[in-house]
Amino acid sequence: MFVKNTQDKLNNLKQKILDQLQDAKEKKVLRDLEIKYLGRKGEFTKILRELKNLKIEEREKIGKLANQIKNELQKKFKELNSEASEFNSSASEFTDVTLSGEKIEKGHLHPITIVQNELENLFTSMGFVIEEGPELESDYYNFEALNLPKHHPARDMQDTFYVDTRKETKKNGQINTNDLVMRTHTSPVQIRAMQKYGAPLKCVVPGRVFRCEATDACHEHTFDQLEGLMIDKNISITNLIATMKELLKGIFKKDMEVRVRPGYFPFVKPGIELDIKCTICNGKKCPACKNSGWLELLPAGMVHPNVLKYGGIDPKKYSGFAFGLGLTRLAMMKYGINDIRLFNSGDLRFLKQF
Ligand code: FA5
């Protein structure tokens, strides 16, 4: 008896819906009807909920009929929907599509991205390829393969955040721990690029780096660098200086006052540091240049033979230069920003100026 009742209820409801659909010509009306009858709280669903009171075989029978009716109705709704008009004929619900919409605020590039794009264009025009590397790097690539073995005192110059996985692996005959570090510089990509491309090679590597460091007007714990690497036969320091000059001219659109001094990095030999005269105080000394009048911007040098070997390149045949530009500091100097911490501050008053 209960089964018969439910079958009747379902068939009657189907007919009622089909009758109402005859007059439904607009999408909104169709949508409302679909929700009213087939929606989660709709009449059709209510009947289905009563099925739980039936015996299992009865439930199967009614369930089948219910699914069949539901599919038919959904198909009908779909058909009518594709023929129906968007607009309601009643004037009160008329939508004037010619009215201007709400203005969507347009975003723009971050100053670091602007400078990075400019540098990428400059270097690709000189035949360099753009390479990328992981920000979470192995201790091996970040230090060891750059001639900085474990316990080398020069590791102190770049303190970072370690992830200790306590596992040992063998690579190139050497035992390596699987320790991971947030990379302290973009230099590990030198090795990755040498292993990937071999020699000759010209690449630049923009990217974010991390150091465990107290912040001030010219130091951040998270900042950007751009690594440069050129390897070929007979590369000398003259090629390096010429490329650095081209880089600065491309960014500042004029010849910059620079000073070159010796610099120590275990992965280059010899090593140099190129500083530019602080553009914030014009060399008069300010917090942005640590009261020195100069800003350390471009450390560089000739790639150490051990590093070439780690990269799988024969140092007897090839030589190369490398530099590690402080991209964030370059952006500071280009735009006259006196505190490096503004870049990652998320302060829209600052960001909207670019
Ligand atoms: C390095 O990171 C070397 N890998 C660079 C290098 C590459 C040398 C290839 C030779 C050959 P250094 O620690 O000096 O070197 O950092 C490079 C540049 O990053 C600095 O000149 C500076 O401009 C920038 N820099 C360093 N530390 C910070 C910091 N805490 N905040 C902002 N910029 C920084």
Side-chain angles (χ1 to χ4, degrees):
M1 189 60 199
F2 193 81
V3 175
K4 177 86 179 70
N5 268 350
T6 317
Q7 275 175 335
D8 287 347
K9 264 196 214 168
L10 283 169
N11 282 322
N12 290 344
L13 185 62
K14 174 185 167 188
Q15 198 47 54
K16 185 170 147 192
I17 299 173
L18 288 175
D19 288 347
Q20 292 193 21
L21 282 178
Q22 279 185 354
D23 299 326
K25 302 277 179 265
E26 288 139 18
K27 287 197 175 189
K28 186 177 177 320
V29 178
L30 282 167
R31 222 170 13 246
D32 290 346
L33 282 175
E34 194 167 0
I35 292 169
K36 182 174 173 196
Y37 292 113
L38 302 185
R40 244 175 3 107
K41 291 185 183 157
E43 283 183 40
F44 196 85
T45 320
K46 255 189 228 156
I47 299 177
L48 290 185
R49 286 218 180 97
E50 290 168 14
L51 293 187
K52 64 177 184 300
N53 303 324
L54 295 180
K55 289 197 201 113
I56 219 160
E57 23 343 319
E58 292 172 344
R59 207 186 301 159
E60 268 175 17
K61 200 167 163 197
I62 299 285
K64 204 169 164 197
L65 174 72
N67 269 337
Q68 190 189 326
I69 294 180
K70 194 171 178 186
N71 287 342
E72 261 177 59
L73 287 169
Q74 275 174 336
K75 203 169 150 210
K76 186 83 185 160
F77 270 108
K78 207 167 170 192
E79 255 171 49
L80 291 172
N81 212 30
S82 62
E83 294 158 10
S85 68
E86 250 338 316
F87 301 112
N88 193 310
S89 47
S90 75
S92 62
E93 293 202 27
F94 174 72
T95 309
D96 185 352
V97 290
T98 63
L99 281 178
S100 55
E102 251 177 57
K103 211 168 169 200
I104 297 171
E105 214 176 325
K106 228 173 151 186
H108 58 84
L109 296 179
H110 190 278
I112 302 286
T113 313
I114 299 174
V115 178
Q116 182 182 325
N117 287 349
E118 279 181 30
L119 284 167
E120 286 184 6
N121 287 342
L122 180 78
F123 278 99
T124 42
S125 75
M126 294 195 281
F128 283 70
V129 290
I130 316 282
E131 269 302 291
E132 279 187 348
E135 289 179 356
L136 183 60
E137 183 55 279
S138 68
D139 180 280
Y140 176 79
Y141 279 108
N142 197 78
F143 294 122
E144 296 224 20
L146 289 168
N147 213 20
L148 274 150
K150 286 233 170 359
H151 314 300
H152 193 293
R155 283 193 176 203
D156 288 351
M157 300 195 306
Q158 300 187 358
D159 196 10
T160 186
F161 309 99
Y162 287 81
V163 182
D164 183 5
T165 54
R166 300 199 185 277
K167 216 171 156 193
E168 287 192 344
T169 53
K170 252 190 169 181
K171 194 166 188 180
N172 303 332
Q174 296 185 1
I175 292 193
N176 301 294
T177 57
N178 246 358
D179 292 350
L180 296 172
V181 297
M182 295 307 290
R183 67 174 176 194
T184 53
H185 49 177
T186 40
S187 300
V189 191
Q190 283 187 31
I191 307 288
R192 290 181 178 277
M194 286 185 229
Q195 290 175 343
K196 185 168 163 191
Y197 299 109
L201 167 64
K202 285 202 284 187
C203 70
V204 285
V205 186
R208 189 170 292 170
V209 301
F210 310 85
R211 298 215 185 152
C212 183
E213 154 132 88
T215 60
D216 60 30
C218 61
H219 289 87
E220 257 291 14
H221 49 72
T222 302
F223 57 99
D224 283 74
Q225 289 188 340
L226 180 115
E227 193 82 8
L229 176 68
M230 179 170 184
I231 295 172
D232 209 333
K233 289 188 173 142
N234 303 320
I235 295 293
S236 73
I237 207 143
T238 324
N239 302 105
L240 169 60
I241 306 266
T243 310
M244 285 166 122
K245 276 191 179 161
E246 205 57 37
L247 184 167
L248 292 174
K249 206 169 175 180
I251 290 293
F252 293 99
K253 316 285 179 230
K254 60 174 185 185
D255 286 323
M256 295 297 290
E257 210 171 320
V258 298
R259 72 174 186 192
V260 179
R261 55 195 168 89
Y264 172 68
F265 300 93
F267 33 95
V268 286
K269 192 174 141 185
I272 59 168
E273 291 263 12
L274 184 137
D275 304 335
I276 61 168
K277 193 178 243 186
C278 178
T279 58
I280 312 285
C281 61
N282 202 20
K284 293 198 181 76
K285 302 179 182 175
C286 68
C289 56
K290 271 202 279 182
N291 293 312
S292 69
W294 297 91
L295 206 83
E296 190 189 306
L297 189 71
L298 243 172
M302 300 306 291
V303 182
H304 196 290
N306 287 352
V307 174
L308 289 173
K309 278 190 212 157
Y310 272 112
I313 292 173
D314 184 353
K316 291 202 187 86
K317 279 199 200 146
Y318 290 99
S319 56
F321 69 73
F323 60 83
L325 167 74
L327 193 61
T328 314
R329 288 214 186 138
L330 181 72
M332 274 177 90
M333 292 298 109
K334 179 173 165 76
Y335 294 116
I337 294 157
N338 60 7
D339 195 324
I340 197 167
R341 291 164 291 195
L342 285 164
F343 286 107
N344 288 338
S345 66
D347 186 339
L348 288 178
R349 290 167 307 175
F350 167 71
L351 292 172
K352 277 184 173 165
Q353 297 173 77
F354 299 94

